[in-house]
Amino acid sequence: MSIPEITQKLLAAKKDKGLSFTDLEKILGRDEVWIAAAIYRQASASEEEAKQLVEALGLDESYVKELTEYPVKGLGPVVPTDPLIYRFYEIMQVYGMPMKAVIHEKFGDGIMSAIDFTLDIEKEEDPKGDRVKVIMSGKFLPYKKW
Amino acid sequence: MSIPEITQKLLAAKKDKGLSFTDLEKILGRDEVWIAAAIYRQASASEEEAKQLVEALGLDESYVKELTEYPVKGLGPVVPTDPLIYRFYEIMQVYGMPMKAVIHEKFGDGIMSAIDFTLDIEKEEDPKGDRVKVIMSGKFLPYKKW
Amino acid sequence: MSIPEITQKLLAAKKDKGLSFTDLEKILGRDEVWIAAAIYRQASASEEEAKQLVEALGLDESYVKELTEYPVKGLGPVVPTDPLIYRFYEIMQVYGMPMKAVIHEKFGDGIMSAIDFTLDIEKEEDPKGDRVKVIMSGKFLPYKKW
Amino acid sequence: MSIPEITQKLLAAKKDKGLSFTDLEKILGRDEVWIAAAIYRQASASEEEAKQLVEALGLDESYVKELTEYPVKGLGPVVPTDPLIYRFYEIMQVYGMPMKAVIHEKFGDGIMSAIDFTLDIEKEEDPKGDRVKVIMSGKFLPYKKW
Amino acid sequence: MSIPEITQKLLAAKKDKGLSFTDLEKILGRDEVWIAAAIYRQASASEEEAKQLVEALGLDESYVKELTEYPVKGLGPVVPTDPLIYRFYEIMQVYGMPMKAVIHEKFGDGIMSAIDFTLDIEKEEDPKGDRVKVIMSGKFLPYKKW
Amino acid sequence: MSIPEITQKLLAAKKDKGLSFTDLEKILGRDEVWIAAAIYRQASASEEEAKQLVEALGLDESYVKELTEYPVKGLGPVVPTDPLIYRFYEIMQVYGMPMKAVIHEKFGDGIMSAIDFTLDIEKEEDPKGDRVKVIMSGKFLPYKKW
Amino acid sequence: MSIPEITQKLLAAKKDKGLSFTDLEKILGRDEVWIAAAIYRQASASEEEAKQLVEALGLDESYVKELTEYPVKGLGPVVPTDPLIYRFYEIMQVYGMPMKAVIHEKFGDGIMSAIDFTLDIEKEEDPKGDRVKVIMSGKFLPYKKW
Amino acid sequence: MSIPEITQKLLAAKKDKGLSFTDLEKILGRDEVWIAAAIYRQASASEEEAKQLVEALGLDESYVKELTEYPVKGLGPVVPTDPLIYRFYEIMQVYGMPMKAVIHEKFGDGIMSAIDFTLDIEKEEDPKGDRVKVIMSGKFLPYKKW
Amino acid sequence: MSIPEITQKLLAAKKDKGLSFTDLEKILGRDEVWIAAAIYRQASASEEEAKQLVEALGLDESYVKELTEYPVKGLGPVVPTDPLIYRFYEIMQVYGMPMKAVIHEKFGDGIMSAIDFTLDIEKEEDPKGDRVKVIMSGKFLPYKKW
Amino acid sequence: MSIPEITQKLLAAKKDKGLSFTDLEKILGRDEVWIAAAIYRQASASEEEAKQLVEALGLDESYVKELTEYPVKGLGPVVPTDPLIYRFYEIMQVYGMPMKAVIHEKFGDGIMSAIDFTLDIEKEEDPKGDRVKVIMSGKFLPYKKW
C-alpha cells in the first residue's frame, strides 16, 4: 500500500499543528472520518472544504486543487495485513452471510449503499475496557426489476 | 462458497415456520445477527441455546450437537462477489485507512476486537429511502509491550 | 463456474417448449435479460412472477419457492475464460478509466448504480455484419458527505 | 494502477484550459469516450487527431508522437477497487451469464467484438435522480468453423 | 481442470472404434482440431455435424443435443501445469510482445481475431527429429474509432 | 509489465530511422520476429548480430554487450490484459486441450519444444479482411523413459 | 518486501556500535523481540523508549518521531519465500488445525490474542544441535455472545 | 478446507467416549498436540501408536493402516480465514522479520527446523484473563556451505 | 490436490503385495521414480509396461488401458504445502537464479529439458545422518535462432 | 524479480575480469553454485570468503559487509516465467508426488533438508546432445514425535 504524497504532507502538518481529527471536525463542520477520508484521497472535497482544511493545517493553497479531484479509490491490498484493518475483513468473512440474511429479511432483495453512506466512530467508555463503536448508515437500495 | 447442510436445513425450517430472525431474537434472548451467525455455523451455541433454537424451528434434537461445536469460521471467497457483502469489503478498501487513523487517535496503538464484539442491524425509516444501520462495538485492545 | 441445478432444469424446459427469451418477455412483461437473470438465480422473482415463469415453461410449482429466494449473487470466476463474457471484462480493463473520467465530468463524484439499474440487449442489423447493442442505465449516486 | 505520465500532463492541461470532454468532442469530431481513451493511452490517435488534440490543449507538438503509438492496453488491477469501475465488474459477475444466454439466442455462437466497438455515455435527466446511460455497440462475430 | 462427461464418453467411443481425429476429419469434412474442440465442448456443432459425429462413433443420438449447445468456453487453469499446454503459455510470455510489435507494424492498431480463426496442426518430418507445425489464421480486426 | 530501457531506446531509434522489422530481417538475415524478441530482450544475440543491429539502428556500440547477455525471459503479467496478446491466451484456454489431443495422436506422449522453435507472422490478403497468419514450428520432444 | 528506510538506518547503526538485541534489551528494559519489532516498524515506541533506543544507537533525535508513530503493520508477502520465515507458515499449515482443536478443548470457543501477546526467543543448548525455543503467550479471548 | 473423513470419525468417537486430548496424552505417552496432528492426518503414527489410539477411541482396527501412512501435509487455505488460525498467520506477518533478526543474531545464518520440532500448548491461569502459551522448540539448522 | 482413483488402487495393491518401488524397478526394468510417475499418472506406460506392472501388483488387466493413456500432467497446487515437496520449490526460489547463471555459463542460452530427462533418488548413508541424493539429467536445448 | 544492485555490480566485474564461476571455484575453494548463490545474495559469506571474492573480482572492500549479511532469501515470482527456471518448477509439478513416494519408502516420514544441502551442476558430454546434470544432496530429516 502506497500512501499518496499529499496525504503524508497533510498528516505531518496536522501533527505539527497538534490538531486532532476531532478538532478538524469542529473547524470544517464535517465528520472526522470523512475528513480523514479526504486526507487519504478517498473522498473529494469541495473547493471551499479544501481551502478550510489547508488553511487549518497552515499550508499554502497549492494543495487545494488535488484535494478537489475525484480520486481513484481503494487503498488496501486484497487481504489487508494490518491487524486493525484486517479485523474488518474478518468481520465480513465471519458475519457477512448472517448480515446478508438479516438485511434481506428486514428490507427485501437489495443492498446497503456504500455511496449514500456515513460512518461514525465513537469511544464507549467501559470499566472492563473501552470499546470502539462503529456506526454505519447506508441507504437501502432495492434491486430494480425491468 | 458452500453453505453448510445444517444451515440449509435450519433456514428451510425457519421459512416453513414463518419465523423471522426478530422472532427468534425474542424466543432465544439473543440478538438476531448472533442467531443468524449460529445458524450459518460461524458461532457456537451453548447446549441450551441450541435446544431452544431447534425447538423453535420444530426440528428434532439431532441438530443440537453440531450447533454446539466450535466451527472453522470464515465463509466467503477472498473477494466476495455478492453485491451486498461486497459493499462491506469496499467500505474497508475505501475507509479502512481513515478509520485506522481516527481509531488510533482516539485510542492509541491497538485494534478493535472482532471477538469481544457485537453487531446490530437496524432499519432507519427515512422518507428519502429507508437506511440500513449497522452498529459494531468491539473492545479496544491496546498492543502489549514486553 | 457451476450453474445451479434449477437453472439447468428451467433452461431445458424452455428449450423443450421452444420458447425464446423474447417470448418470455411478452408473457411475463419483464425484460428478457432480467428473466435470464432470474433463471440464472442472479435476481429474485416475486411469487407471481415465479408462478408465471414456471407455468410458461410447463413445470410444476415446486420451483416457485427457490425462484423467490434472495440469491447469493456473482457467478463467474475472477477473470472469466468464456470469450463472450471476457470481452466485457476487457472493455472494463481498456475503457474503465476513460469512462470514469467522462462520468465524473458529467455527474461529479459518485458512481452508476448497479442495483437501480437496467440492461437491454438489442440486435442492430447492419449489412457489414449485425451488431450487438447493450444499453445500461443506472441511477447516478453522488458520494454523500457527512 | 499507474497512470501514464503523458495522461497526467494532458489532463492537467485540459483542466487549465477549462475544456470538458464534450468540448473536445466538438473540436476533434470524435466521441468523448474515445478521446478519453486516447488520453489514457488505451487508443492510438492518427497524427492529425493527435495534433488537433495537443493544439486544443495548448501543448507543444512533443506529445504527438506518443499519442500515435499503439499502446499496451489494459489499465486496471485484476479486480478493480475503485467503486465506479468495480460496478462494471459486478455487472459482468451478476449479469454475464444472462447476457451470454440472450446474445447467443439472438445471434448464435459467437461474441460481441470489443474491437469493432463503440461506447457512448449519456446523461438521462430524471426527477428521481439522473441516470447514467452507457450504450455499447459491437459487431457480432460468429465462431468460424473450419 | 474437469473434463466434461460427454467428452470422456466420446473419446472412449473413438478409442473403441479405433478412429483417429484424421479419420473423423475425412468423415465430417471439418478439420481435426475443430472436431477435437467440439468433442471437448469448446465449439458448438450444427445438428447435422453432431449427428455425423455421433454416428461415426457408434453412439446413439442422445448426445446430439448437448453437442449443439453453445458452451461456456475455457478449460484450463490460469497457468496450465500440463507441459504440452504450458509451452504455448510460455510462447506467449516470451514472444507475446515481439509478436505484438510485428503484427502492429504489418497491420496497424488492432488484433488477430480468435473467433474468425482457424488452427491447423501438421507433422513435419525431419531427420533431426519430427516437428510440430501449428498454423493459426485469424482475421485482423482494426480498432474502430468513433 | 515494464519494458526494459534498452528496448525503448532501440525501438525509438528504429522509428527515427524509419526501419521496419522486415527491413531489419533483410539486413540481419534473421526473421523479424526473432529480431523483435532480441530487441525486447527475450532472445540473446551473438556479438556479430548485436553489432549489425546496433549499426543498422544508427546507435553506438554501447548496446552490444547487453544484447548478447542471456536474459531472464517472460515479460507478461500472469493473465495478459492487452487485447492482442490476450487472444493468444484465449486460444490456449479454448483450444489447448483439443491441440493436446491431436498432437498426442500424431506424435505420442511428449511436447512441442518452445526452445527448438521458430515463429513466423505473415499477412494473408483477403477481400473480406486481411488475415494474420502465425506459423509455429517446434521440434517434437518425446517423453524419455528411464 | 521492502524494508523501511529507518529500519535500515537503525540496523546499520546497531551493527556499527556492535550492539546485539540482547544488549538493547538490557538498556531499554524491553524484550529483544519487541525491540526488533519496533526497529522494523511493526510496533510503536513511547517517546521515552524511542529516545533511549536512538541514543543507544548513537543517532540523533530525528528518528524519534517516526518510531512513535502507529505503523501500518504486516511486512511479508502472502506466502513468505525466506526459508526461516516460511517454516512458521508451514507450522501453521501443518499444525494449525491440531492447535485449534487443543486450544478449543482447553479454553472453549475463542482465540489467542495476537495483540495482548508476548513472544520470546531462547537458545536451548543441546549436544545434538542447539535448539530455537519460541514462547508465545497471548490472552485467551472468548467469543462474546450478544 | 476439507477435513479427512477419518479425522471426522476419530473426533466423533473421541467425543462419544468423553475423552480429552489430555486424556489421550496420558494413554499414548505422546503430547496432545502431536496426537491431534495424527488425528488430522498431519503426522504419521507407528503401528503401535495407531493401535493404542484406535483402541482408546473404541474403534475397530480398520483405521490403523491409514493412520500409519505418510500423509500429504498442509491443511489450510493460503491465507486462513478462521480467526484462531489466522492469528498465527498475523504473528508471522508482524513479527516474522523481527524474529528472523533475533534468531540470526543468536544462531547465525540458518533456520529453526519445522521437522525436528515440538509444539506444546499450555493454559496459564491469570486473574486478568487466562493466557494461551505456545512453546515451539526446533533444532537450529545452519546453512551448509559447499 | 486430488490423487487419481487408479493411483490409490495401485498403491493399495502394492502395499498389500509388500512390494517396494525398488522391487518394481527390478521386475519392470524401469527406474523406480519413473514407475512411481506412471502410477501417479504423470507418465504413460507402453501396453507391455502396463501389463507387467498390473500383473506384478496382482490386479486384473482392466487398469492397463488407463495406464497407457497420455495424461494431463501436473499434480500440485501452485505453491505446494507438503513440506517434502515444498523444499524443492524452496530450492528453486533460493538457487534458481544461481543455477541459471551457472548453466548459461557452461552451456550458453538455452534450458535443461524436463522431457528428455531422468531423475534418480539414492540413499547416501552418512554417520551424521543419511542423505537424500537426487540426480537430474536433462538434455541441454539451445535456443534456436531463425 | 529485481536483482540486487550488488549482484549486478559483482556480475559486471566478473565479466570484465573474464572469470567464470569455475575459475572462482578454484580461487575460493567453494562450489561454483554456492558462489553464484552468494553473489545473488541467497547465501551469506564469511568475512574471509567475501574478501577473497571481492579481491578476485578486482573490487574494493566496500562490498564485503553486505556479502556477509544474512539475506532475506527467495528471488523468484510465485510461478517463474523464465523457461530455464520454470522447468525446475515443472519437474516439481510432474514428479513431486512420485519423488515423495520414493523418498518416504526409502527413508520413512520426513523430508530432504534444503539447508543441510548441496547442489552441483555438471556438463555430461553426449554425442546426441550434451546433458545438464544436477546433483542435489540433502540430509534426511525424520519427523520428530513428541
Side-chain angles (χ1 to χ4, degrees), chain B residues 1 6 8 10 18 21 24 35-36 38 47 50 52 60-61 86 89 101 118 129:
Chain B
M1 184 182 359
I6 190 178
Q8 299 177 38
L10 296 175
F21 288 110
L24 292 173
I35 294 168
E47 192 151 344
Q52 282 179 308
D60 61 277
E61 293 221 347
Y86 180 81
Y89 181 79
T118 65

Side-chain angles (χ1 to χ4, degrees), chain A residues 14 20-21 32 75 78 82 89 100 105-106 116 123 128 130-132 134 136-140, chain B residues 14 20-21 32 78 82 89 100 105-106 116 123 128 130-132 134 136-140:
Chain A
K14 172 176 164 298
S20 67
F21 288 111
E32 59 191 343
L75 261 180
V78 174
D82 181 76
Y89 182 77
K100 180 178 163 73
E105 191 169 285
K106 283 189 193 304
D116 186 339
K123 188 174 191 163
K128 283 178 290 179
D130 292 348
R131 298 181 76 79
V132 182
V134 176
M136 299 172 178
S137 166
K139 191 178 180 184
F140 179 73
Chain B
K14 173 174 165 298
S20 68
F21 288 110
E32 60 192 342
V78 175
D82 181 76
Y89 181 79
K100 180 178 164 72
E105 192 169 283
K106 284 188 191 304
D116 186 338
K123 187 174 191 164
K128 281 178 291 180
D130 292 348
R131 297 182 77 80
V132 182
V134 176
M136 300 173 177
S137 165
K139 192 179 179 182
F140 179 73

Side-chain angles (χ1 to χ4, degrees), chain G residues 7 21 38 50 53 55 58 76 81 84 86 103 105 110 113 115 126 144:
Chain G
T7 302
F21 287 110
L53 176 57
E55 197 180 326
T81 60
L84 185 145
Y86 180 81
I103 292 173
E105 191 170 285
S113 180
I115 309 295
D126 186 318
K144 190 185 184 73

Side-chain angles (χ1 to χ4, degrees), chain B residues 33-133:
Chain B
V33 177
W34 183 86
I35 294 168
I39 288 176
Y40 275 95
R41 298 298 297 122
Q42 299 297 306
S44 54
S46 69
E47 192 151 344
E48 198 191 328
E49 290 159 352
K51 278 183 182 161
Q52 282 179 308
L53 176 58
V54 161
E55 197 180 326
L57 299 177
L59 296 168
D60 61 277
E61 293 221 347
S62 64
Y63 296 100
V64 168
K65 198 163 120 185
E66 192 175 346
L67 285 167
T68 64
E69 275 168 14
Y70 305 149
V72 179
K73 300 178 185 79
L75 261 180
V78 175
V79 177
T81 59
D82 181 76
L84 184 145
I85 299 180
Y86 180 81
R87 293 308 179 270
F88 291 95
Y89 181 79
E90 183 175 303
I91 288 165
M92 181 198 75
Q93 281 284 335
V94 174
Y95 297 107
M97 281 301 291
M99 288 167 78
K100 180 178 164 72
V102 171
I103 291 173
H104 282 330
E105 192 169 283
K106 284 188 191 304
F107 293 88
D109 201 359
I111 63 156
M112 178 186 83
S113 180
I115 310 295
D116 186 338
F117 173 80
T118 65
L119 193 161
D120 289 277
I121 292 170
E122 293 172 9
K123 187 174 191 164
E124 282 188 312
E125 306 216 340
D126 187 317
K128 281 178 291 180
D130 292 348
R131 297 182 77 80
V132 182
K133 193 171 177 178

Side-chain angles (χ1 to χ4, degrees), chain I residues 19 21 36 42 49 86 88 106 119 128 135:
Chain I
L19 288 166
F21 287 111
Q42 298 297 307
E49 290 158 350
Y86 180 80
F88 292 96
K106 283 188 191 306
L119 192 160
K128 283 178 289 179
I135 303 124

Side-chain angles (χ1 to χ4, degrees), chain C residues 15, chain D residues 145, chain E residues 6 10 24 27-30 34-35 38-39 41 43-70:
Chain C
K15 193 167 195 179
Chain D
K145 295 176 179 182
Chain E
I6 191 177
L10 296 175
L24 291 173
I27 295 168
L28 271 79
R30 288 258 170 250
W34 184 86
I35 294 168
I39 288 175
R41 299 298 298 122
S44 54
S46 69
E47 192 153 343
E48 197 191 328
E49 290 158 350
K51 278 183 182 161
Q52 280 179 310
L53 176 58
V54 161
E55 196 180 329
L57 299 177
L59 297 168
D60 60 276
E61 294 222 345
S62 64
Y63 296 99
V64 168
K65 198 162 123 186
E66 191 175 347
L67 285 168
T68 62
E69 275 169 15
Y70 305 149

